[in-house]
Each structure stands twice: as structure tokens, then as C-alpha cells.
Amino acid sequence: MAKKQSLLLAMMLVVAGLAVSAMADRKLMSLVKPQPNQLTYHNGAVLSGDIPVSILWYGRFTPAQKAVVTDFVLSLAAPLQAAPAPSVSQWWGSIHRLYLSKAVAVGKNGGAHGGGGGGRAKNARVVLSGQVSDEGCSLGKSLKLSQLPTLAARARPGKGGVALVLTAQDVAVEGFCMSRCGTHGPVSRAGAAYAWVGNSATQCPGQCAWPFHQPVYGPQAAPLVPPSGDVGMDGMVINVASMVAGAVTNPFGDGFYQGERGAALEAATACTGVYGKGAYPGYAGALLVDKATGASYNAHGAHGRKYLLPALFDPDTSACSTLV
């Protein structure tokens, strides 16, 4: 009787062990399954052809600060031979190669293009179309996200264009430094997009101007020297580049993105913190260094400028593509 009970107990243990093993195998298989949320094209609109970019300066910016950004915008459309490689225009060309060339264009004469027929999207060429200043901060110095499209409309973006809304270092914007350094979205009834970025110099340079300032969290490596000498403005260029890349490839929320539509990863934000090869948390990657100033950069721009630009996610390789 005791032997029968022992045999029965042994059999029960074997069955239980097999069940646990099968469950573990299923869990392991679920871990190695391809993830459904890859950065893909959702058959919506992208911006291509001539893209007019207008700037609204909200708050006080010095002429030197404005020149850092305007030279960057001009650099996007510069011929490849206009600046030494690696260049800002080379980075911009990667956006067409990795994203816009894969979107189907509809409509005429450039502008906003989406799926549903027609040819491939035209090469995107940025045109600086105008600048507006609101130095007196007509809506106050504490802005809600819902006010950004209104400010963007004041920049009068053309159809298929992008309005840059840039806020000064003493202007607070909902979520700034807490959950975002910038954002982008549509400008109602204008057929255009906007991108907002704030100057983080006095509010959160460790979050929105890294690696030119020590980070708030994580590895505490020495900050890099900013190319323009202005931590806040060089941090703004990084975020302007990220937001413009998103505004062009996903202007109305149905273009190229990964994850939930309302909290999507896009062309540049999918590679946050990556600027050169070998990057890892706390290390921006192997960058170029200006021998005269010690500034770190990865792209040459207009008027002899040097910039640090974010890596772009390559949907074909699922890796971050860097200039250096």
C-alpha cells in the first residue's frame, strides 16, 4: 500500500513538473516572438517637396541665439557640397532615404502627401519662409499645450509647412522638463504642422540640453562643450531637429511611428541620447571635437557652424543610424 502511494505521488510530481516546464517554455517563446510594435508607416500623410518653415520667437532671444537656430534651418536645405561631411544636409537627406522615400505621395506640387495612390513623395527641401517675434509674451509666461497651435498659427505656416514655436528660458510650458523637451502636432485647418521646443538653460539643462550639461539622473560624466558656446541654444537645436524630423515624417499622427499614437516613438525620438557610434546611457557616442574650442559635434552647417544632431532610427535594420 505504501509502495502504491509512493508511486502515485511520484507520477503526480512528474506530471506537475511537465506542466511547469511547458508553461516556462510558453513564457520563453513569448519573449522571443517578434514584437508587433515596430516603427512602421501607417499609410498617412508626410511632408515633402518644398517645406516652408516659419519661426515664432516667444519671449526674449538675443540676435546671436536666433542665429544658432536660423543657421541650422538654412543648413537643412544647403547643397551637400556647401559644408564638409558629415553635414546637416546629409542628416536631412537620411530622413528622405529612411522615411519619405517609402511614403506614397498624393496631391500636387509637393506639400502634404499620404497613402492611397500616386507616386513616391518628392525630396523634402526646407525653405525658411519667415520669422515673427512675441518678445512681450502676449499669452503670458506659463503656457498650456493647447495654446501652442494658436501661437503656431501666428507664424503663418504655409500649406504643407512647419511652424517652429520656440519659447525663451523664462517661459514655462505645460509638461516642459517633466515629460518633454518639445512636441509637435497639426495646425488646425492650415494643412500644416507645428513643432515647439523650449530653451531649458535655466529650467532643466540636465534633461533637455544633455550632453552639454550634467544629467539629473544616471552616470555623471563631465558635460561636453557646446559648439555655439550656449548650452541652452545647442540643446534647443538637438530638440528642434528631433521635433522637425517627427513633424515631417508624422505630421498628423498617421505617418511613421511606433507604439501608441498618443505617445509614439518617431524617427529621432526612438534614438534619444544617441549621437555617435558606441553610445550608451550617459555616453553620447564617439563624436568630432573642434580643436580650437574643444566643442563636441557631429555635423557641419551653414556659415561654418557645427551642430550636434540626434541619430535617426532605421526601420530596415531596427538600429540607430548616426552621422559619425
Side-chain angles (χ1 to χ4, degrees), residues 147-161:
Q147 294 174 296
L148 296 178
T150 301
L151 288 175
R154 293 183 185 177
R156 299 193 184 105
K159 185 176 181 181

Side-chain angles (χ1 to χ4, degrees), residues 161-294:
V162 177
L164 285 180
V165 177
L166 306 179
T167 50
Q169 62 185 20
D170 60 344
V171 175
V173 178
E174 180 184 357
F176 186 42
C177 299
M178 307 285 282
S179 58
R180 59 178 62 88
C181 300
T183 191
H184 71 86
V187 180
S188 298
R189 297 185 297 280
Y194 78 88
W196 157 73
V197 171
N199 185 343
S200 65
T202 57
Q203 297 186 53
C204 57
Q207 290 167 269
C208 295
W210 184 87
F212 299 126
H213 191 282
Q214 259 182 304
V216 178
Y217 308 105
Q220 296 294 305
L224 304 181
V225 178
S228 75
D230 187 320
V231 170
M233 294 311 297
D234 280 306
M236 285 191 86
V237 168
I238 291 172
N239 295 311
V240 165
S242 295
M243 292 302 107
V244 168
V248 168
T249 59
N250 188 32
F252 310 120
D254 53 6
F256 289 90
Y257 67 91
Q258 172 186 348
E260 304 248 344
R261 181 170 173 168
L265 291 176
E266 298 172 328
T269 55
C271 292
T272 298
V274 178
Y275 301 97
K277 287 182 175 59
Y280 55 82
Y283 174 59
L287 304 175
L288 302 175
V289 178
D290 187 310
K291 292 179 181 178
T293 65

Side-chain angles (χ1 to χ4, degrees), residues 41 44-53 76 91-101 103 111-114 121-127 160-164 183-186 192-195 240-257 266-268 312:
Y41 180 44
V46 298
L47 302 183
S48 66
D50 285 352
I51 302 176
V53 172
L76 291 171
W91 179 86
W92 183 250
S94 296
I95 292 178
H96 178 80
R97 176 175 56 84
L98 298 175
Y99 292 93
L100 303 183
S101 65
H113 296 297
K122 296 180 181 180
N123 283 340
R125 189 175 76 93
V126 170
V127 179
V162 177
L164 285 180
T183 191
H184 71 86
Y194 78 88
V240 165
S242 295
M243 292 302 107
V244 168
V248 168
T249 59
N250 188 32
F252 310 120
D254 53 6
F256 289 90
Y257 67 91
E266 298 172 328
L312 296 171

